[in-house]
Amino acid sequence: MKITICKDERSFDVAAAWRIIGQLLEKPSAVVGLSTGATTINMHDIIAAIYADYPFDVSRVTFFNVDEFTNVPADYDGSCYNTIYRHLTGPLGIPAENFIMPPTISDDMEAECRLFEQRLAARGGADLQILGIGLNGHIGINQPGAPFEGETWVSHLDTDYELRIRRETGAGDDVKLGGLTRGIKNIMQTRKLILVAKGKHKAAIIEQAILGPVTTDIPASVIQLHPNCEVLLDADAGARLVGKIS
Ligand code: GLP
């Protein structure tokens, strides 16, 4: 596993942006999986800014996000679709058919899970998956305990996230919120993984996920088993690795 620790947050954001642009330059028809959250917003804005000044070919790329909230209105500003659209696929002018996302509302979410993976497979499968990491070690919305052989499914959310979405959408207790997420098996089948993290609050979970045992208690630890994986961090998130890795 390759580990890159950037000197500060800005250099992390820029390095991460270039990892994605690099993939697009190397393979203009790449299938690229993104991740939402505070960690990835700047990298997406930087890609959009570089594209505005120095356009590159995005006519054949396929983007998708690793997860999406379920049972929230399609126009909810904080949905993964809307977040990625606002920061990246909109500014890059990606046509709708090249931004593959499951719907937030459906009568048959299990079918949506299968369809999501089928649509990625029809494009040749995912080349790159950017992964954020939750404070409990989740990747996508695979919470602790999620099986490594699990396929794309609808998971429960962690409590903080659920409360935030209820607040932002006004969803009552009768609305069952969740998250459609690529399963750990699907994530691991991606040709290249880049796990990204920044900030002091991520240092402890990064240490556990990267240097600790591979265990379903820390879903992100599974990436230790991936043959083509990079962990890209800022100095704060990587602080507990210093002196422990060669
Ligand atoms: C959410 C997303 C995850 C992401 C995580 C990290 O849970 N569903 O895919 O990895 O947030 O969030 P942040 O970057 O805000 O710490």
Side-chain angles (χ1 to χ4, degrees), residues 101-146:
M101 287 294 284
T104 56
I105 293 180
S106 166
D107 291 339
D108 189 349
M109 273 296 169
E110 274 186 33
E112 300 296 350
C113 292
R114 288 193 299 275
L115 184 62
F116 185 42
E117 286 301 329
Q118 280 162 11
R119 294 178 73 195
L120 300 181
R123 303 271 173 133
D127 290 295
L128 172 65
Q129 177 72 68
I130 305 291
L131 290 171
I133 180 171
L135 290 176
N136 62 2
H138 73 236
I139 47 175
I141 309 180
N142 296 284
Q143 305 293 357

Side-chain angles (χ1 to χ4, degrees), residues 1-140:
M1 178 167 22
K2 183 177 169 191
I3 299 175
T4 307
I5 302 179
C6 301
K7 67 175 177 0
D8 55 25
E9 182 184 355
R10 175 70 187 169
S11 60
F12 161 85
D13 291 332
V14 174
W18 277 106
R19 294 296 190 279
I20 297 173
I21 296 173
Q23 172 69 76
L24 306 187
L25 297 179
E26 187 189 321
K27 183 178 176 187
S29 62
V31 177
V32 176
L34 304 164
S35 189
T36 53
T39 310
T40 55
I41 286 184
N42 292 353
M43 72 179 75
H44 295 159
D45 286 343
I46 290 167
I47 296 169
I50 292 171
Y51 178 77
D53 285 343
Y54 311 101
F56 44 89
D57 180 14
V58 292
S59 63
R60 287 181 291 148
V61 63
T62 299
F63 283 116
F64 67 92
N65 196 61
V66 67
D67 50 32
E68 179 58 286
F69 305 118
T70 55
N71 282 335
V72 299
D75 64 356
Y76 166 45
D77 222 40
S79 75
C80 297
Y81 177 92
N82 285 327
T83 302
I84 298 288
Y85 179 77
R86 216 170 29 251
H87 292 275
L88 190 65
T89 57
L92 262 51
I94 303 297
E97 67 271 21
N98 290 351
F99 180 26
I100 296 182
M101 287 294 284
T104 56
I105 293 180
S106 166
D107 291 339
D108 189 349
M109 273 296 169
E110 274 186 33
E112 300 296 350
C113 292
R114 288 193 299 275
L115 184 62
F116 185 42
E117 286 301 329
Q118 280 162 11
R119 294 178 73 195
L120 300 181
R123 303 271 173 133
D127 290 295
L128 172 65
Q129 177 72 68
I130 305 291
L131 290 171
I133 180 171
L135 290 176
N136 62 2
H138 73 236
I139 47 175

